[in-house]
PDB file of all heavy atoms in Angstrom:
ATOM      1  N   GLY A   1       9.546  13.456  -6.318  1.00 98.00           N
ATOM      2  CA  GLY A   1      10.865  13.070  -5.795  1.00 98.00           C
ATOM      3  C   GLY A   1      11.270  11.719  -6.311  1.00 98.00           C
ATOM      4  O   GLY A   1      10.463  10.976  -6.889  1.00 98.00           O
ATOM      5  N   ALA A   2      12.518  11.374  -6.119  1.00 97.00           N
ATOM      6  CA  ALA A   2      13.049  10.092  -6.558  1.00 97.00           C
ATOM      7  C   ALA A   2      14.211   9.669  -5.685  1.00 97.00           C
ATOM      8  O   ALA A   2      14.815  10.470  -4.996  1.00 97.00           O
ATOM      9  CB  ALA A   2      13.481  10.173  -8.028  1.00 97.00           C
ATOM     10  N   ILE A   3      14.495   8.373  -5.768  1.00 95.00           N
ATOM     11  CA  ILE A   3      15.607   7.794  -5.007  1.00 95.00           C
ATOM     12  C   ILE A   3      16.384   6.891  -5.924  1.00 95.00           C
ATOM     13  O   ILE A   3      15.798   6.141  -6.715  1.00 95.00           O
ATOM     14  CB  ILE A   3      15.083   7.062  -3.758  1.00 95.00           C
ATOM     15  CG1 ILE A   3      16.223   6.585  -2.864  1.00 95.00           C
ATOM     16  CG2 ILE A   3      14.170   5.910  -4.127  1.00 95.00           C
ATOM     17  CD1 ILE A   3      15.765   6.135  -1.476  1.00 95.00           C
ATOM     18  N   SER A   4      17.711   6.971  -5.834  1.00 93.00           N
ATOM     19  CA  SER A   4      18.554   6.168  -6.722  1.00 93.00           C
ATOM     20  C   SER A   4      18.514   4.706  -6.317  1.00 93.00           C
ATOM     21  O   SER A   4      18.076   4.336  -5.239  1.00 93.00           O
ATOM     22  CB  SER A   4      19.992   6.694  -6.666  1.00 93.00           C
ATOM     23  OG  SER A   4      20.531   6.534  -5.346  1.00 93.00           O
ATOM     24  N   ARG A   5      19.036   3.884  -7.211  1.00 89.00           N
ATOM     25  CA  ARG A   5      19.024   2.443  -7.013  1.00 89.00           C
ATOM     26  C   ARG A   5      19.765   2.070  -5.730  1.00 89.00           C
ATOM     27  O   ARG A   5      19.363   1.170  -5.002  1.00 89.00           O
ATOM     28  CB  ARG A   5      19.659   1.758  -8.204  1.00 89.00           C
ATOM     29  CG  ARG A   5      19.373   0.292  -8.301  1.00 89.00           C
ATOM     30  CD  ARG A   5      20.156  -0.323  -9.432  1.00 89.00           C
ATOM     31  NE  ARG A   5      19.973   0.329 -10.706  1.00 89.00           N
ATOM     32  CZ  ARG A   5      20.567  -0.042 -11.806  1.00 89.00           C
ATOM     33  NH1 ARG A   5      21.404  -1.058 -11.807  1.00 89.00           N
ATOM     34  NH2 ARG A   5      20.344   0.583 -12.957  1.00 89.00           N
ATOM     35  N   ASN A   6      20.872   2.728  -5.443  1.00 83.00           N
ATOM     36  CA  ASN A   6      21.682   2.382  -4.276  1.00 83.00           C
ATOM     37  C   ASN A   6      21.319   3.200  -3.039  1.00 83.00           C
ATOM     38  O   ASN A   6      22.004   3.152  -2.039  1.00 83.00           O
ATOM     39  CB  ASN A   6      23.170   2.563  -4.594  1.00 83.00           C
ATOM     40  CG  ASN A   6      23.497   3.983  -5.043  1.00 83.00           C
ATOM     41  OD1 ASN A   6      22.695   4.880  -4.895  1.00 83.00           O
ATOM     42  ND2 ASN A   6      24.695   4.167  -5.569  1.00 83.00           N
ATOM     43  N   ASP A   7      20.251   3.980  -3.121  1.00 83.00           N
ATOM     44  CA  ASP A   7      19.744   4.797  -2.012  1.00 83.00           C
ATOM     45  C   ASP A   7      20.682   5.932  -1.608  1.00 83.00           C
ATOM     46  O   ASP A   7      20.423   6.608  -0.620  1.00 83.00           O
ATOM     47  CB  ASP A   7      19.470   3.931  -0.765  1.00 83.00           C
ATOM     48  CG  ASP A   7      18.346   2.947  -0.986  1.00 83.00           C
ATOM     49  OD1 ASP A   7      17.720   2.993  -2.043  1.00 83.00           O
ATOM     50  OD2 ASP A   7      18.121   2.111  -0.108  1.00 83.00           O
ATOM     51  N   LEU A   8      21.725   6.176  -2.361  1.00 86.00           N
ATOM     52  CA  LEU A   8      22.679   7.223  -1.963  1.00 86.00           C
ATOM     53  C   LEU A   8      22.228   8.601  -2.399  1.00 86.00           C
ATOM     54  O   LEU A   8      22.725   9.606  -1.882  1.00 86.00           O
ATOM     55  CB  LEU A   8      24.055   6.913  -2.572  1.00 86.00           C
ATOM     56  CG  LEU A   8      24.753   5.698  -1.998  1.00 86.00           C
ATOM     57  CD1 LEU A   8      26.124   5.515  -2.665  1.00 86.00           C
ATOM     58  CD2 LEU A   8      24.923   5.795  -0.487  1.00 86.00           C
ATOM     59  N   SER A   9      21.323   8.648  -3.352  1.00 93.00           N
ATOM     60  CA  SER A   9      20.883   9.952  -3.860  1.00 93.00           C
ATOM     61  C   SER A   9      19.356  10.059  -3.852  1.00 93.00           C
ATOM     62  O   SER A   9      18.659   9.092  -4.175  1.00 93.00           O
ATOM     63  CB  SER A   9      21.373  10.170  -5.291  1.00 93.00           C
ATOM     64  OG  SER A   9      22.785  10.186  -5.341  1.00 93.00           O
ATOM     65  N   THR A  10      18.885  11.230  -3.472  1.00 96.00           N
ATOM     66  CA  THR A  10      17.459  11.548  -3.581  1.00 96.00           C
ATOM     67  C   THR A  10      17.333  12.920  -4.217  1.00 96.00           C
ATOM     68  O   THR A  10      18.238  13.773  -4.115  1.00 96.00           O
ATOM     69  CB  THR A  10      16.757  11.553  -2.206  1.00 96.00           C
ATOM     70  OG1 THR A  10      17.468  12.424  -1.316  1.00 96.00           O
ATOM     71  CG2 THR A  10      16.706  10.159  -1.615  1.00 96.00           C
ATOM     72  N   TRP A  11      16.252  13.116  -4.891  1.00 97.00           N
ATOM     73  CA  TRP A  11      15.965  14.391  -5.531  1.00 97.00           C
ATOM     74  C   TRP A  11      14.505  14.756  -5.222  1.00 97.00           C
ATOM     75  O   TRP A  11      13.647  13.872  -5.176  1.00 97.00           O
ATOM     76  CB  TRP A  11      16.135  14.294  -7.047  1.00 97.00           C
ATOM     77  CG  TRP A  11      17.503  13.863  -7.478  1.00 97.00           C
ATOM     78  CD1 TRP A  11      18.574  14.672  -7.737  1.00 97.00           C
ATOM     79  CD2 TRP A  11      17.944  12.534  -7.713  1.00 97.00           C
ATOM     80  NE1 TRP A  11      19.657  13.919  -8.122  1.00 97.00           N
ATOM     81  CE2 TRP A  11      19.311  12.592  -8.112  1.00 97.00           C
ATOM     82  CE3 TRP A  11      17.346  11.281  -7.618  1.00 97.00           C
ATOM     83  CZ2 TRP A  11      20.058  11.461  -8.427  1.00 97.00           C
ATOM     84  CZ3 TRP A  11      18.080  10.147  -7.925  1.00 97.00           C
ATOM     85  CH2 TRP A  11      19.422  10.252  -8.315  1.00 97.00           C
ATOM     86  N   TYR A  12      14.239  16.037  -5.086  1.00 97.00           N
ATOM     87  CA  TYR A  12      12.892  16.482  -4.765  1.00 97.00           C
ATOM     88  C   TYR A  12      12.537  17.726  -5.583  1.00 97.00           C
ATOM     89  O   TYR A  12      13.385  18.561  -5.914  1.00 97.00           O
ATOM     90  CB  TYR A  12      12.772  16.853  -3.263  1.00 97.00           C
ATOM     91  CG  TYR A  12      12.974  15.667  -2.346  1.00 97.00           C
ATOM     92  CD1 TYR A  12      14.223  15.403  -1.811  1.00 97.00           C
ATOM     93  CD2 TYR A  12      11.911  14.836  -2.022  1.00 97.00           C
ATOM     94  CE1 TYR A  12      14.410  14.318  -0.967  1.00 97.00           C
ATOM     95  CE2 TYR A  12      12.104  13.741  -1.182  1.00 97.00           C
ATOM     96  CZ  TYR A  12      13.344  13.492  -0.659  1.00 97.00           C
ATOM     97  OH  TYR A  12      13.531  12.411   0.181  1.00 97.00           O
ATOM     98  N   GLU A  13      11.261  17.834  -5.871  1.00 97.00           N
ATOM     99  CA  GLU A  13      10.758  19.051  -6.463  1.00 97.00           C
ATOM    100  C   GLU A  13      10.815  20.150  -5.413  1.00 97.00           C
ATOM    101  O   GLU A  13      10.645  19.887  -4.219  1.00 97.00           O
ATOM    102  CB  GLU A  13       9.324  18.798  -6.911  1.00 97.00           C
ATOM    103  CG  GLU A  13       8.781  19.811  -7.901  1.00 97.00           C
ATOM    104  CD  GLU A  13       8.086  20.968  -7.230  1.00 97.00           C
ATOM    105  OE1 GLU A  13       7.538  20.769  -6.130  1.00 97.00           O
ATOM    106  OE2 GLU A  13       8.056  22.057  -7.804  1.00 97.00           O
ATOM    107  N   ASP A  14      11.085  21.367  -5.832  1.00 97.00           N
ATOM    108  CA  ASP A  14      11.332  22.455  -4.874  1.00 97.00           C
ATOM    109  C   ASP A  14      10.216  22.673  -3.864  1.00 97.00           C
ATOM    110  O   ASP A  14      10.469  22.951  -2.698  1.00 97.00           O
ATOM    111  CB  ASP A  14      11.595  23.752  -5.632  1.00 97.00           C
ATOM    112  CG  ASP A  14      12.972  23.816  -6.273  1.00 97.00           C
ATOM    113  OD1 ASP A  14      13.805  22.942  -5.952  1.00 97.00           O
ATOM    114  OD2 ASP A  14      13.178  24.684  -7.120  1.00 97.00           O
ATOM    115  N   SER A  15       8.984  22.515  -4.303  1.00 97.00           N
ATOM    116  CA  SER A  15       7.878  22.844  -3.421  1.00 97.00           C
ATOM    117  C   SER A  15       7.673  21.836  -2.296  1.00 97.00           C
ATOM    118  O   SER A  15       6.976  22.118  -1.322  1.00 97.00           O
ATOM    119  CB  SER A  15       6.564  22.957  -4.222  1.00 97.00           C
ATOM    120  OG  SER A  15       6.179  21.696  -4.726  1.00 97.00           O
ATOM    121  N   VAL A  16       8.296  20.661  -2.403  1.00 98.00           N
ATOM    122  CA  VAL A  16       8.160  19.663  -1.338  1.00 98.00           C
ATOM    123  C   VAL A  16       9.435  19.478  -0.567  1.00 98.00           C
ATOM    124  O   VAL A  16       9.467  18.749   0.450  1.00 98.00           O
ATOM    125  CB  VAL A  16       7.709  18.301  -1.929  1.00 98.00           C
ATOM    126  CG1 VAL A  16       6.456  18.469  -2.785  1.00 98.00           C
ATOM    127  CG2 VAL A  16       8.832  17.621  -2.710  1.00 98.00           C
ATOM    128  N   LEU A  17      10.502  20.124  -0.997  1.00 97.00           N
ATOM    129  CA  LEU A  17      11.786  19.965  -0.326  1.00 97.00           C
ATOM    130  C   LEU A  17      11.676  20.399   1.128  1.00 97.00           C
ATOM    131  O   LEU A  17      11.177  21.475   1.421  1.00 97.00           O
ATOM    132  CB  LEU A  17      12.829  20.813  -1.065  1.00 97.00           C
ATOM    133  CG  LEU A  17      14.295  20.594  -0.692  1.00 97.00           C
ATOM    134  CD1 LEU A  17      14.726  19.184  -1.001  1.00 97.00           C
ATOM    135  CD2 LEU A  17      15.168  21.604  -1.414  1.00 97.00           C
ATOM    136  N   GLY A  18      12.139  19.540   2.018  1.00 97.00           N
ATOM    137  CA  GLY A  18      12.057  19.827   3.439  1.00 97.00           C
ATOM    138  C   GLY A  18      10.778  19.360   4.086  1.00 97.00           C
ATOM    139  O   GLY A  18      10.674  19.287   5.316  1.00 97.00           O
ATOM    140  N   ARG A  19       9.765  19.030   3.285  1.00 98.00           N
ATOM    141  CA  ARG A  19       8.497  18.533   3.814  1.00 98.00           C
ATOM    142  C   ARG A  19       8.293  17.049   3.515  1.00 98.00           C
ATOM    143  O   ARG A  19       7.689  16.335   4.319  1.00 98.00           O
ATOM    144  CB  ARG A  19       7.331  19.342   3.242  1.00 98.00           C
ATOM    145  CG  ARG A  19       7.381  20.825   3.542  1.00 98.00           C
ATOM    146  CD  ARG A  19       6.087  21.520   3.146  1.00 98.00           C
ATOM    147  NE  ARG A  19       5.862  21.432   1.693  1.00 98.00           N
ATOM    148  CZ  ARG A  19       4.744  20.909   1.151  1.00 98.00           C
ATOM    149  NH1 ARG A  19       3.790  20.401   1.898  1.00 98.00           N
ATOM    150  NH2 ARG A  19       4.629  20.887  -0.173  1.00 98.00           N
ATOM    151  N   PHE A  20       8.742  16.594   2.372  1.00 98.00           N
ATOM    152  CA  PHE A  20       8.548  15.228   1.939  1.00 98.00           C
ATOM    153  C   PHE A  20       9.875  14.480   1.999  1.00 98.00           C
ATOM    154  O   PHE A  20      10.936  15.058   1.725  1.00 98.00           O
ATOM    155  CB  PHE A  20       8.030  15.160   0.481  1.00 98.00           C
ATOM    156  CG  PHE A  20       6.617  15.656   0.292  1.00 98.00           C
ATOM    157  CD1 PHE A  20       5.921  16.313   1.295  1.00 98.00           C
ATOM    158  CD2 PHE A  20       5.988  15.450  -0.928  1.00 98.00           C
ATOM    159  CE1 PHE A  20       4.629  16.760   1.093  1.00 98.00           C
ATOM    160  CE2 PHE A  20       4.687  15.892  -1.130  1.00 98.00           C
ATOM    161  CZ  PHE A  20       4.017  16.540  -0.126  1.00 98.00           C
ATOM    162  N   THR A  21       9.807  13.190   2.330  1.00 98.00           N
ATOM    163  CA  THR A  21      10.999  12.352   2.391  1.00 98.00           C
ATOM    164  C   THR A  21      10.707  10.996   1.760  1.00 98.00           C
ATOM    165  O   THR A  21       9.709  10.350   2.102  1.00 98.00           O
ATOM    166  CB  THR A  21      11.459  12.134   3.835  1.00 98.00           C
ATOM    167  OG1 THR A  21      11.682  13.404   4.462  1.00 98.00           O
ATOM    168  CG2 THR A  21      12.751  11.324   3.870  1.00 98.00           C
ATOM    169  N   ILE A  22      11.589  10.594   0.856  1.00 97.00           N
ATOM    170  CA  ILE A  22      11.481   9.282   0.219  1.00 97.00           C
ATOM    171  C   ILE A  22      12.412   8.305   0.893  1.00 97.00           C
ATOM    172  O   ILE A  22      13.578   8.651   1.177  1.00 97.00           O
ATOM    173  CB  ILE A  22      11.823   9.380  -1.263  1.00 97.00           C
ATOM    174  CG1 ILE A  22      10.792  10.216  -2.002  1.00 97.00           C
ATOM    175  CG2 ILE A  22      11.909   7.986  -1.904  1.00 97.00           C
ATOM    176  CD1 ILE A  22      11.145  10.450  -3.465  1.00 97.00           C
ATOM    177  N   SER A  23      11.939   7.116   1.114  1.00 94.00           N
ATOM    178  CA  SER A  23      12.762   6.052   1.659  1.00 94.00           C
ATOM    179  C   SER A  23      12.236   4.732   1.125  1.00 94.00           C
ATOM    180  O   SER A  23      11.187   4.692   0.480  1.00 94.00           O
ATOM    181  CB  SER A  23      12.719   6.043   3.196  1.00 94.00           C
ATOM    182  OG  SER A  23      11.403   5.799   3.655  1.00 94.00           O
ATOM    183  N   ARG A  24      12.995   3.655   1.381  1.00 91.00           N
ATOM    184  CA  ARG A  24      12.479   2.381   0.955  1.00 91.00           C
ATOM    185  C   ARG A  24      13.054   1.250   1.803  1.00 91.00           C
ATOM    186  O   ARG A  24      14.122   1.374   2.386  1.00 91.00           O
ATOM    187  CB  ARG A  24      12.735   2.124  -0.512  1.00 91.00           C
ATOM    188  CG  ARG A  24      14.157   2.059  -0.931  1.00 91.00           C
ATOM    189  CD  ARG A  24      14.143   1.802  -2.432  1.00 91.00           C
ATOM    190  NE  ARG A  24      15.432   1.794  -3.019  1.00 91.00           N
ATOM    191  CZ  ARG A  24      15.611   1.710  -4.328  1.00 91.00           C
ATOM    192  NH1 ARG A  24      14.574   1.646  -5.139  1.00 91.00           N
ATOM    193  NH2 ARG A  24      16.821   1.702  -4.817  1.00 91.00           N
ATOM    194  N   ASP A  25      12.294   0.182   1.828  1.00 91.00           N
ATOM    195  CA  ASP A  25      12.657  -1.030   2.515  1.00 91.00           C
ATOM    196  C   ASP A  25      12.741  -2.115   1.473  1.00 91.00           C
ATOM    197  O   ASP A  25      11.775  -2.775   1.108  1.00 91.00           O
ATOM    198  CB  ASP A  25      11.562  -1.351   3.551  1.00 91.00           C
ATOM    199  CG  ASP A  25      11.839  -2.607   4.341  1.00 91.00           C
ATOM    200  OD1 ASP A  25      12.811  -3.315   4.028  1.00 91.00           O
ATOM    201  OD2 ASP A  25      11.045  -2.903   5.245  1.00 91.00           O
ATOM    202  N   ASN A  26      13.965  -2.332   0.977  1.00 87.00           N
ATOM    203  CA  ASN A  26      14.152  -3.294  -0.104  1.00 87.00           C
ATOM    204  C   ASN A  26      13.805  -4.719   0.336  1.00 87.00           C
ATOM    205  O   ASN A  26      13.343  -5.523  -0.463  1.00 87.00           O
ATOM    206  CB  ASN A  26      15.574  -3.238  -0.636  1.00 87.00           C
ATOM    207  CG  ASN A  26      15.858  -1.971  -1.400  1.00 87.00           C
ATOM    208  OD1 ASN A  26      14.931  -1.326  -1.913  1.00 87.00           O
ATOM    209  ND2 ASN A  26      17.111  -1.589  -1.511  1.00 87.00           N
ATOM    210  N   ALA A  27      14.023  -5.025   1.592  1.00 89.00           N
ATOM    211  CA  ALA A  27      13.731  -6.373   2.090  1.00 89.00           C
ATOM    212  C   ALA A  27      12.255  -6.702   1.968  1.00 89.00           C
ATOM    213  O   ALA A  27      11.861  -7.858   1.818  1.00 89.00           O
ATOM    214  CB  ALA A  27      14.197  -6.500   3.534  1.00 89.00           C
ATOM    215  N   ASN A  28      11.425  -5.653   2.074  1.00 91.00           N
ATOM    216  CA  ASN A  28       9.980  -5.836   1.969  1.00 91.00           C
ATOM    217  C   ASN A  28       9.413  -5.263   0.677  1.00 91.00           C
ATOM    218  O   ASN A  28       8.193  -5.116   0.561  1.00 91.00           O
ATOM    219  CB  ASN A  28       9.289  -5.230   3.182  1.00 91.00           C
ATOM    220  CG  ASN A  28       9.551  -6.004   4.441  1.00 91.00           C
ATOM    221  OD1 ASN A  28       9.135  -7.139   4.568  1.00 91.00           O
ATOM    222  ND2 ASN A  28      10.263  -5.391   5.391  1.00 91.00           N
ATOM    223  N   ASN A  29      10.316  -4.925  -0.262  1.00 92.00           N
ATOM    224  CA  ASN A  29       9.900  -4.475  -1.590  1.00 92.00           C
ATOM    225  C   ASN A  29       8.922  -3.307  -1.564  1.00 92.00           C
ATOM    226  O   ASN A  29       7.950  -3.264  -2.328  1.00 92.00           O
ATOM    227  CB  ASN A  29       9.237  -5.639  -2.363  1.00 92.00           C
ATOM    228  CG  ASN A  29      10.136  -6.851  -2.408  1.00 92.00           C
ATOM    229  OD1 ASN A  29      11.273  -6.756  -2.772  1.00 92.00           O
ATOM    230  ND2 ASN A  29       9.598  -7.984  -2.003  1.00 92.00           N
ATOM    231  N   THR A  30       9.202  -2.347  -0.695  1.00 94.00           N
ATOM    232  CA  THR A  30       8.297  -1.227  -0.528  1.00 94.00           C
ATOM    233  C   THR A  30       9.047   0.089  -0.485  1.00 94.00           C
ATOM    234  O   THR A  30      10.099   0.178   0.154  1.00 94.00           O
ATOM    235  CB  THR A  30       7.458  -1.382   0.760  1.00 94.00           C
ATOM    236  OG1 THR A  30       6.777  -2.642   0.745  1.00 94.00           O
ATOM    237  CG2 THR A  30       6.418  -0.271   0.854  1.00 94.00           C
ATOM    238  N   MET A  31       8.505   1.094  -1.161  1.00 95.00           N
ATOM    239  CA  MET A  31       9.033   2.440  -1.108  1.00 95.00           C
ATOM    240  C   MET A  31       8.009   3.313  -0.401  1.00 95.00           C
ATOM    241  O   MET A  31       6.815   3.026  -0.452  1.00 95.00           O
ATOM    242  CB  MET A  31       9.289   2.977  -2.515  1.00 95.00           C
ATOM    243  CG  MET A  31       9.781   4.406  -2.535  1.00 95.00           C
ATOM    244  SD  MET A  31      10.090   5.063  -4.181  1.00 95.00           S
ATOM    245  CE  MET A  31       8.445   5.028  -4.909  1.00 95.00           C
ATOM    246  N   PHE A  32       8.498   4.354   0.264  1.00 97.00           N
ATOM    247  CA  PHE A  32       7.606   5.229   1.033  1.00 97.00           C
ATOM    248  C   PHE A  32       7.798   6.676   0.636  1.00 97.00           C
ATOM    249  O   PHE A  32       8.867   7.096   0.187  1.00 97.00           O
ATOM    250  CB  PHE A  32       7.893   5.082   2.535  1.00 97.00           C
ATOM    251  CG  PHE A  32       7.794   3.688   3.037  1.00 97.00           C
ATOM    252  CD1 PHE A  32       8.941   2.909   3.216  1.00 97.00           C
ATOM    253  CD2 PHE A  32       6.561   3.139   3.337  1.00 97.00           C
ATOM    254  CE1 PHE A  32       8.847   1.600   3.680  1.00 97.00           C
ATOM    255  CE2 PHE A  32       6.454   1.837   3.799  1.00 97.00           C
ATOM    256  CZ  PHE A  32       7.605   1.077   3.971  1.00 97.00           C
ATOM    257  N   LEU A  33       6.733   7.437   0.838  1.00 98.00           N
ATOM    258  CA  LEU A  33       6.806   8.900   0.698  1.00 98.00           C
ATOM    259  C   LEU A  33       6.162   9.467   1.966  1.00 98.00           C
ATOM    260  O   LEU A  33       4.949   9.425   2.123  1.00 98.00           O
ATOM    261  CB  LEU A  33       6.062   9.382  -0.534  1.00 98.00           C
ATOM    262  CG  LEU A  33       6.069  10.914  -0.747  1.00 98.00           C
ATOM    263  CD1 LEU A  33       7.493  11.397  -1.014  1.00 98.00           C
ATOM    264  CD2 LEU A  33       5.164  11.291  -1.894  1.00 98.00           C
ATOM    265  N   GLN A  34       7.012   9.971   2.857  1.00 98.00           N
ATOM    266  CA  GLN A  34       6.526  10.613   4.077  1.00 98.00           C
ATOM    267  C   GLN A  34       6.242  12.077   3.751  1.00 98.00           C
ATOM    268  O   GLN A  34       7.154  12.788   3.317  1.00 98.00           O
ATOM    269  CB  GLN A  34       7.555  10.521   5.195  1.00 98.00           C
ATOM    270  CG  GLN A  34       7.149  11.226   6.476  1.00 98.00           C
ATOM    271  CD  GLN A  34       5.951  10.568   7.147  1.00 98.00           C
ATOM    272  OE1 GLN A  34       5.861   9.344   7.261  1.00 98.00           O
ATOM    273  NE2 GLN A  34       5.002  11.387   7.618  1.00 98.00           N
ATOM    274  N   MET A  35       5.016  12.486   3.956  1.00 98.00           N
ATOM    275  CA  MET A  35       4.593  13.845   3.613  1.00 98.00           C
ATOM    276  C   MET A  35       4.176  14.571   4.885  1.00 98.00           C
ATOM    277  O   MET A  35       3.222  14.169   5.546  1.00 98.00           O
ATOM    278  CB  MET A  35       3.461  13.802   2.608  1.00 98.00           C
ATOM    279  CG  MET A  35       3.751  13.013   1.342  1.00 98.00           C
ATOM    280  SD  MET A  35       2.461  13.153   0.100  1.00 98.00           S
ATOM    281  CE  MET A  35       1.093  12.405   0.932  1.00 98.00           C
ATOM    282  N   ASN A  36       4.896  15.613   5.218  1.00 98.00           N
ATOM    283  CA  ASN A  36       4.595  16.407   6.407  1.00 98.00           C
ATOM    284  C   ASN A  36       4.200  17.814   6.001  1.00 98.00           C
ATOM    285  O   ASN A  36       4.475  18.257   4.896  1.00 98.00           O
ATOM    286  CB  ASN A  36       5.813  16.451   7.337  1.00 98.00           C
ATOM    287  CG  ASN A  36       6.222  15.083   7.837  1.00 98.00           C
ATOM    288  OD1 ASN A  36       5.374  14.192   8.051  1.00 98.00           O
ATOM    289  ND2 ASN A  36       7.509  14.894   8.019  1.00 98.00           N
ATOM    290  N   THR A  37       3.604  18.514   6.945  1.00 98.00           N
ATOM    291  CA  THR A  37       3.174  19.919   6.725  1.00 98.00           C
ATOM    292  C   THR A  37       2.461  20.077   5.384  1.00 98.00           C
ATOM    293  O   THR A  37       2.786  20.907   4.540  1.00 98.00           O
ATOM    294  CB  THR A  37       4.412  20.868   6.763  1.00 98.00           C
ATOM    295  OG1 THR A  37       5.291  20.466   7.819  1.00 98.00           O
ATOM    296  CG2 THR A  37       3.993  22.298   7.028  1.00 98.00           C
ATOM    297  N   LEU A  38       1.473  19.238   5.206  1.00 98.00           N
ATOM    298  CA  LEU A  38       0.746  19.217   3.926  1.00 98.00           C
ATOM    299  C   LEU A  38      -0.029  20.504   3.696  1.00 98.00           C
ATOM    300  O   LEU A  38      -0.531  21.136   4.641  1.00 98.00           O
ATOM    301  CB  LEU A  38      -0.177  18.003   3.862  1.00 98.00           C
ATOM    302  CG  LEU A  38       0.529  16.694   3.577  1.00 98.00           C
ATOM    303  CD1 LEU A  38      -0.301  15.510   3.998  1.00 98.00           C
ATOM    304  CD2 LEU A  38       0.928  16.608   2.107  1.00 98.00           C
ATOM    305  N   LYS A  39      -0.102  20.873   2.433  1.00 98.00           N
ATOM    306  CA  LYS A  39      -0.785  22.095   2.014  1.00 98.00           C
ATOM    307  C   LYS A  39      -1.893  21.723   1.015  1.00 98.00           C
ATOM    308  O   LYS A  39      -1.790  20.688   0.353  1.00 98.00           O
ATOM    309  CB  LYS A  39       0.214  23.045   1.329  1.00 98.00           C
ATOM    310  CG  LYS A  39       1.413  23.386   2.180  1.00 98.00           C
ATOM    311  CD  LYS A  39       2.396  24.231   1.375  1.00 98.00           C
ATOM    312  CE  LYS A  39       3.629  24.568   2.208  1.00 98.00           C
ATOM    313  NZ  LYS A  39       4.600  25.390   1.428  1.00 98.00           N
ATOM    314  N   PRO A  40      -2.882  22.567   0.871  1.00 97.00           N
ATOM    315  CA  PRO A  40      -3.950  22.265  -0.116  1.00 97.00           C
ATOM    316  C   PRO A  40      -3.394  22.030  -1.514  1.00 97.00           C
ATOM    317  O   PRO A  40      -3.941  21.207  -2.263  1.00 97.00           O
ATOM    318  CB  PRO A  40      -4.826  23.507  -0.060  1.00 97.00           C
ATOM    319  CG  PRO A  40      -4.665  24.026   1.349  1.00 97.00           C
ATOM    320  CD  PRO A  40      -3.229  23.747   1.673  1.00 97.00           C
ATOM    321  N   GLU A  41      -2.317  22.715  -1.878  1.00 96.00           N
ATOM    322  CA  GLU A  41      -1.741  22.545  -3.224  1.00 96.00           C
ATOM    323  C   GLU A  41      -1.058  21.189  -3.396  1.00 96.00           C
ATOM    324  O   GLU A  41      -0.631  20.856  -4.486  1.00 96.00           O
ATOM    325  CB  GLU A  41      -0.761  23.675  -3.546  1.00 96.00           C
ATOM    326  CG  GLU A  41       0.280  23.936  -2.477  1.00 96.00           C
ATOM    327  CD  GLU A  41      -0.118  25.065  -1.546  1.00 96.00           C
ATOM    328  OE1 GLU A  41      -1.303  25.122  -1.124  1.00 96.00           O
ATOM    329  OE2 GLU A  41       0.748  25.893  -1.225  1.00 96.00           O
ATOM    330  N   ASP A  42      -0.959  20.409  -2.334  1.00 98.00           N
ATOM    331  CA  ASP A  42      -0.438  19.042  -2.441  1.00 98.00           C
ATOM    332  C   ASP A  42      -1.520  18.049  -2.858  1.00 98.00           C
ATOM    333  O   ASP A  42      -1.213  16.870  -3.104  1.00 98.00           O
ATOM    334  CB  ASP A  42       0.168  18.584  -1.116  1.00 98.00           C
ATOM    335  CG  ASP A  42       1.394  19.377  -0.723  1.00 98.00           C
ATOM    336  OD1 ASP A  42       2.231  19.665  -1.586  1.00 98.00           O
ATOM    337  OD2 ASP A  42       1.524  19.713   0.477  1.00 98.00           O
TER     338      ASP A  42
END
C-alpha cells in the first residue's frame, strides 16, 4: 500500500484491501501500517 504526500490518497494491493490501513503522523515523522485479520500468506 501507499499514501500520497498530502494524505488525500491511499492505494492498496487487492489482497490486503479492507484489512490493512496506512496512516502517518507527520509531526512525529512516522508512518504506520495497521494490519488486521492477518493470514499466513501475509
Side-chain angles (χ1 to χ4, degrees):
I3 186 167
S4 63
R5 196 186 306 180
N6 58 13
D7 295 354
L8 292 181
S9 297
T10 53
W11 302 271
Y12 296 94
E13 196 270 331
D14 285 348
S15 68
V16 308
L17 191 63
R19 300 189 297 123
F20 291 10
T21 303
I22 293 175
S23 63
R24 63 180 176 186
D25 179 355
N26 289 338
N28 290 295
N29 306 309
T30 305
M31 177 180 64
F32 304 99
L33 179 66
Q34 178 66 44
M35 304 187 297
N36 299 327
T37 319
L38 283 161
K39 304 175 181 180
E41 51 264 43
D42 294 319

